[in-house]
Amino acid sequence: MHYQRARDWLHEFWLFGLKQAYACLFGGFLLLVMIVTRYWYPLESLHRYDFIFLAAIVFQLLLLAFKLETLREAWVIVVFHLVATVMELFKTSDAIGSWVYPEDYVFGIGNVPLFTGFMYSAVGSYIARVWRIFDFRYSYYPRRRWTIILVVLIYLNFFSHHFIWDLRWLLLGATIVLFARTHIYFRMHREHRHMPLLVGWLLVALFIWLAENIATYTNIWIYPNQQNGWQMVPLAKLSSWYLLMLLSFVLVSLINRIEIPVQQQRPDGSGN
């Protein structure tokens, strides 16, 4: 009995890893290109940033051509690219200077090389893909209008905190209140497992923070404190990624139906 349970657990753990890797195809590809081109880039006629931009486009087209990504997921990437580019233009402006892109490029707007939008798109792509692959369902998911109001305020705070009070901790508190009861149900094989949605977001935000450290180490972008040599990105930055994770999740939820676990549905098929 114990042997069978251990084998079943290992099987589900293996499936979980495989599905996560499949969901991370686009983000993993971008990170791999960043690392490889940092240490080996022989093309003198094409800037490294421009190569990353073109490589991201080609990889997206291949994902669509081989049906490894749906058209809906591709639209998510386009939306994220636009939303992210607006924020990047503001954050990298000479007046703000939150971070800089130190290398040359042709494909860009102002201080922003165009490949940067794909870095945020990778987060949206991951959420859209993992939602489908794991057949996400939710218990006690808050009303959609409240989630939209919350993420609009989060997005605005990314800009406004340079001029007025930084409301991130207030917004994090509102997030906890709004999603305190929400559980996410995910299926590896036959049955759904579940965890608090707030914990799930924290785990993903942690992995994004680790990827950010790799990206800054490979000179993709640098913060002011990294001008004279690389330093690890402070763990406090995790709060920004957590809020960005929430923003990304709610944007994806606008094109996906919020499914309720069967055991929690009412006789009419509704839930919560």
Side-chain angles (χ1 to χ4, degrees):
M1 177 67 72
H2 292 296
Y3 171 77
Q4 182 63 39
R5 291 177 65 181
R7 191 174 70 172
D8 290 343
W9 184 88
L10 287 173
H11 180 61
E12 286 205 2
F13 184 76
W14 172 251
L15 287 177
F16 179 81
L18 286 179
K19 288 188 173 185
Q20 285 287 349
Y22 181 61
C24 291
L25 270 178
F26 184 52
F29 171 78
L30 272 183
L31 202 58
L32 179 63
V33 171
M34 291 173 187
I35 295 171
V36 170
T37 57
R38 177 67 175 92
Y39 296 102
W40 182 73
Y41 187 68
L43 302 178
E44 296 182 1
S45 59
L46 183 65
H47 296 304
R48 177 186 175 218
Y49 285 174
D50 294 332
F51 175 82
I52 296 173
F53 172 64
L54 295 174
I57 293 176
V58 171
F59 191 72
Q60 275 296 308
L61 293 176
L62 288 175
L63 288 177
L64 288 171
F66 288 98
K67 300 187 184 303
L68 296 174
E69 186 170 80
T70 66
L71 283 174
R72 175 177 289 186
E73 289 161 359
W75 274 113
V76 167
I77 287 175
V78 172
V79 171
F80 271 81
H81 204 113
L82 295 174
V83 170
T85 299
V86 171
M87 187 170 69
E88 283 280 339
L89 286 169
F90 175 81
K91 291 287 191 178
T92 61
S93 64
D94 296 336
I96 302 299
S98 296
W99 56 81
V100 297
Y101 294 94
E103 299 184 23
D104 295 327
Y105 53 86
V106 173
F107 298 113
I109 304 173
N111 295 332
V112 182
L114 287 182
F115 81 88
T116 60
F118 282 115
M119 296 189 297
Y120 296 88
S121 297
V123 178
S125 171
Y126 165 78
I127 296 173
R129 291 165 66 83
V130 80
W131 192 309
R132 170 172 55 86
I133 294 167
F134 282 93
D135 186 28
F136 280 173
R137 297 167 187 268
Y138 306 90
S139 61
Y140 302 108
Y141 193 88
R143 293 189 180 276
R144 185 165 285 179
R145 64 172 174 268
W146 291 116
T147 66
I148 294 173
I149 292 172
L150 178 61
V151 298
V152 167
L153 292 175
I154 288 172
Y155 187 68
L156 291 176
N157 188 67
F158 281 125
F159 299 86
S160 64
H161 80 85
H162 291 281
F163 309 106
I164 59 175
W165 300 289
D166 188 351
L167 302 178
R168 78 177 63 195
W169 298 111
L170 181 62
L171 293 169
L172 283 169
T175 300
I176 292 172
V177 170
L178 199 59
F179 290 94
R181 301 174 63 200
T182 308
H183 273 64
I184 181 170
Y185 291 73
F186 51 96
R187 185 173 63 192
M188 272 86 75
H189 187 38
R190 293 188 180 90
E191 57 184 280
H192 280 81
R193 308 296 182 185
H194 65 92
M195 71 167 65
L197 184 55
L198 292 171
V199 173
W201 284 337
L202 179 61
L203 294 174
V204 177
L206 181 60
F207 275 102
I208 296 174
W209 175 78
L210 291 172
E212 178 185 38
N213 275 282
I214 295 173
T216 54
Y217 184 77
T218 56
N219 210 46
I220 293 299
W221 75 89
I222 56 175
Y223 291 105
N225 67 321
Q226 296 172 327
Q227 294 279 0
N228 298 320
W230 183 81
Q231 301 178 41
M232 182 171 284
V233 178
L235 194 59
K237 189 74 173 176
L238 192 61
S239 63
S240 297
W241 285 117
Y242 194 93
L243 292 173
L244 182 68
M245 185 69 214
L246 173 57
L247 170 63
S248 305
F249 186 91
V250 172
L251 284 176
V252 173
S253 77
L254 297 181
I255 63 170
N256 285 335
R257 180 181 175 185
I258 303 295
E259 297 284 354
I260 308 300
V262 173
Q263 65 270 28
Q264 296 184 10
Q265 292 181 0
R266 302 189 183 110
D268 63 357
S270 62
N272 295 355

